Amino acid sequence: MGSANHGLAALREPNFRRLFLAQTASALGNALVPVAIAFAVLDLTGSPTALGIVLGTRAAAQLLFILAGGVIADRFPRRAVMIGADAVRCLTGATVAVLLLVAHPSLWTLVVLFGMDGIAAAVFTPAAAGMTPAVVSRPHLQQANMLQAMALSAAGIAGPAIAGTLVVTAGPGWAILATAASLAAGLVLLARIRVARPPRPADPHFLHELRQGWDELRGRTWFWAVVLSSTAVNGLIGIYMVLGPQASRLFYGGATVWAAAVTAGGIGAALGGFITMRLRRRHPLRTAVPLAALYGLLPVAFAAGAPPAVIMVVSVLGSVGALTFGGVFQTLVQQHIPEHLLSRVSAYEWLGGLLVYPVGLALAGTLAGLAGVRTTLLWVGGVQVAVVLVLLLVRDVRNIRDVTVDRVEVAAGRGGAGAAAPAVVGEGRHGSG
């Protein structure tokens, strides 16, 4: 729909460019953490149980504080919230790194510091979700979301590789110090963003603000239907992330096919981003939902013992679908949820994934023991496809509209005498927003 949606126009806007680079640096730092923590704790204790305690504490802290993070991000300037959260993470990371390099920190010291890291991440995430619409023009919003999603995917691939290299060549302390350095670079970029804070309703009551976010979510059928579906999918993906490598070992003789599938997924994420930058539909979820269902075919391909080339193709297509759906949905949320509620509503969305993904990880071994790896993966993939496609049965999911497409068509005079007027952001709490 015009040249505005092509190329990398969003990056020409200075505030978004700084936010994009800052979030990329933060995502890269975040992606370094799991590998760095794992080897730091194992080097200190030699105990997988100790590692589980540290990782579990960080994940639990993020889960417990994510809703509070949404309230904080809606109450205070989001740029300041993001700076504060990443400053805490930078300091905790630097402290852990110094302790590892010059001392021998206790397990409980690491538990406390990484618990603080989890709390800061819980505050940062909803603030970041609400920041993008404030720093990019409306026609470039979907493009901006896709650029951010692509950067997140790239960081998820590059981060563990960088951390692994640093652990092997220099030690875990230097890997964690790299995390702090990456976050510090993001802080410098965030500090350079200049954005006016729109007026927001004053409400000093935390629980009431939390309830407002919940009411906004449940009042929009298209939103809570997608959140419920995504929550279930996250749990299923947790199972797949454990059993996929096991299937690669059992059915293909090693880790090569799993590594190839992960690499192909990164390629698919990049392709999905470029495709979605140019994808503008009046009813975008009618296209995005079937694409998202493709990701469920990957566990089925592993279970079926498909040729490695087929698995790589399915991985590319699945990642294209997953990233396309995520970018389209995030854009719709930013278009239709009132600005002063955006972080709280996004926090509820994140809560589901944070809650059920670890459950999937924990249940994978038990399910495989009961039904076998092949059968479990078949069910995981089949249920995932069904859970996604059932969204098309929800009228409000099919009918939710891309506000920008409506506005462009009306401005171009293509709506005709009977064309509907553009939707107003924040109105229409029931139905299609």
Side-chain angles (χ1 to χ4, degrees):
M1 294 294 175
S3 60
N5 295 319
H6 295 273
L8 302 176
L11 289 174
R12 299 192 190 106
E13 301 189 32
N15 275 332
F16 173 72
R17 184 169 61 249
R18 291 164 188 148
L19 177 67
F20 170 77
L21 293 172
Q23 287 185 298
T24 300
S26 182
L28 182 61
N30 196 51
L32 291 167
V33 170
V35 174
I37 294 178
F39 286 95
V41 175
L42 290 175
D43 282 356
L44 286 170
T45 68
S47 169
T49 301
L51 176 58
I53 291 171
V54 174
L55 292 176
T57 299
R58 183 175 184 268
Q62 191 170 2
L63 174 65
L64 291 173
F65 284 89
I66 190 72
L67 293 181
V71 172
I72 291 168
D74 278 342
R75 182 180 291 186
F76 301 103
R78 293 190 179 110
R79 183 184 73 104
V81 172
M82 293 170 69
I83 289 173
D86 263 2
V88 170
R89 297 188 62 214
C90 184
L91 289 173
T92 56
T95 302
V96 171
V98 170
L99 289 174
L100 289 172
L101 292 171
V102 304
H104 190 85
S106 69
L107 172 63
W108 297 110
T109 299
L110 296 180
V111 166
V112 170
L113 288 171
F114 281 114
M116 293 172 61
D117 182 88
I119 293 171
V123 174
F124 181 93
T125 301
M131 187 71 175
T132 303
V135 298
V136 69
S137 59
R138 186 69 61 170
H140 298 155
L141 185 56
Q142 181 164 304
Q143 184 187 103
N145 285 321
M146 297 314 302
L147 287 167
Q148 289 171 320
M150 291 165 65
L152 185 62
S153 296
I157 296 171
I162 295 170
T165 301
L166 287 172
V167 166
V168 171
T169 58
W174 288 102
I176 294 176
L177 191 62
T179 297
S182 183
L183 293 169
L187 285 173
V188 173
L189 291 160
L190 285 172
R192 296 185 60 201
I193 294 175
R194 295 292 179 264
V195 58
R197 182 193 180 196
R200 296 176 184 164
D203 189 338
H205 302 293
F206 174 83
L207 291 179
H208 186 231
E209 287 184 297
L210 207 58
R211 178 62 183 270
Q212 285 180 322
W214 173 254
D215 287 343
E216 188 67 29
L217 183 153
R218 69 185 181 87
R220 296 177 183 269
T221 304
W222 63 272
F223 189 96
W224 62 254
V226 170
V227 169
L228 287 177
S229 175
S230 298
T231 298
V233 166
N234 276 322
L236 294 167
I237 289 176
I239 298 172
Y240 165 68
M241 293 303 292
V242 173
L243 298 187
Q246 179 72 346
S248 180
R249 185 179 68 84
L250 291 176
F251 308 147
Y252 299 94
T256 303
V257 173
W258 175 254
V262 173
T263 302
I267 295 170
L271 289 174
F274 284 115
I275 291 169
T276 309
M277 285 181 199
R278 294 158 173 80
L279 177 69
R280 303 316 295 261
R281 298 286 185 271
R282 179 176 289 156
H283 303 290
L285 290 182
R286 296 181 187 180
T287 301
V289 168
L291 289 174
L294 293 175
Y295 196 83
L297 299 180
L298 195 50
V300 175
F302 269 106
V310 172
I311 285 181
M312 292 182 68
V313 170
V314 172
S315 183
V316 169
L317 294 176
S319 294
V320 166
L323 200 81
T324 297
F325 180 85
V328 166
F329 180 68
Q330 186 65 28
T331 301
L332 290 172
V333 170
Q334 293 164 349
Q335 287 180 349
H336 291 271
I337 301 296
E339 187 277 339
H340 69 281
L341 293 168
L342 192 51
S343 290
R344 275 169 282 177
V345 172
S346 296
Y348 280 108
E349 179 189 352
W350 274 90
L351 179 65
L354 290 172
L355 184 63
V356 302
Y357 181 74
V359 174
L361 296 175
L363 288 178
T366 301
L367 292 173
L370 292 172
V373 172
R374 193 183 302 275
T375 300
T376 302
L377 284 174
L378 282 172
W379 275 100
V380 165
V383 172
Q384 185 175 329
V385 171
V387 164
V388 173
L389 290 181
V390 76
L391 288 172
L392 293 176
L393 300 178
V394 181
R395 182 185 63 183
D396 294 325
V397 170
R398 298 193 307 271
N399 292 342
I400 183 68
R401 299 169 76 96
D402 184 321
V403 172
T404 306
V405 172
D406 281 343
R407 287 175 175 165
V408 168
E409 292 191 352
V410 169
R414 282 185 281 181
V424 178
V425 177
E427 291 189 357
R429 291 201 43 227
H430 295 273
S432 62

